[in-house]
């Protein structure tokens, strides 16, 4: 069962609307815009969580971010190797 929908009128720059319409594909412009808005809401929610965490624990340093990226990269490499050995 899908979520109930409503009809809304929005205003946006014509070039953005035309680009979105051209990229919307078979699902249509409404679905494309709804997906974009849903992604923005997710980003806003994550930014709010980051603000709360940084207020409590301080900002995350560039070094900490890079260390986590390195760990993620290493974990992905291990998964890829495990996938090639498992077959």
């Amino acid at each position: 069962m899908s979520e109930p929908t409503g009809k809304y009128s929005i205003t946006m720059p014509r070039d953005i609307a035309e680009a979105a319409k051209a990229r919307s594909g078979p699902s249509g412009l409404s679905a494309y815009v709804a997906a974009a808005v849903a992604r923005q809401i997710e980003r806003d929610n994550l930014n709010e969580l980051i603000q709360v965490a940084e207020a409590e624990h301080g900002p995350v340093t560039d070094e900490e971010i890079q260390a986590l990226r390195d760990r993620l990269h290493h974990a992905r490499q291990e998964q890829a190797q495990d996938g090639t050995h498992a077959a």
Side-chain angles (χ1 to χ4, degrees):
M1 182 160 102
S2 65
E3 293 289 320
T5 61
K7 188 170 180 122
Y8 302 93
S9 175
I10 62 168
T11 302
M12 70 175 77
R14 187 179 314 258
D15 60 335
I16 293 173
E18 291 302 319
K21 191 174 180 182
R23 294 177 181 264
S24 64
S27 61
L29 182 59
S30 291
Y32 189 86
V33 171
V37 171
R39 281 191 305 276
Q40 185 62 48
I41 290 169
E42 289 173 354
R43 288 178 138 195
D44 293 345
N45 289 340
L46 287 172
N47 284 331
E48 289 172 9
L49 288 172
I50 290 168
Q51 288 175 354
V52 168
E54 286 186 339
E56 186 173 334
H57 303 286
V60 179
T61 66
D62 290 340
E63 293 80 17
E64 291 170 316
I65 292 170
Q66 188 58 50
L68 289 171
R69 284 184 175 144
D70 293 344
R71 285 178 55 195
L72 180 59
H73 179 72
H74 182 72
R76 287 180 174 159
Q77 284 181 324
E78 285 184 347
Q79 285 180 339
Q81 289 174 352
D82 290 345
T84 58
H85 296 314

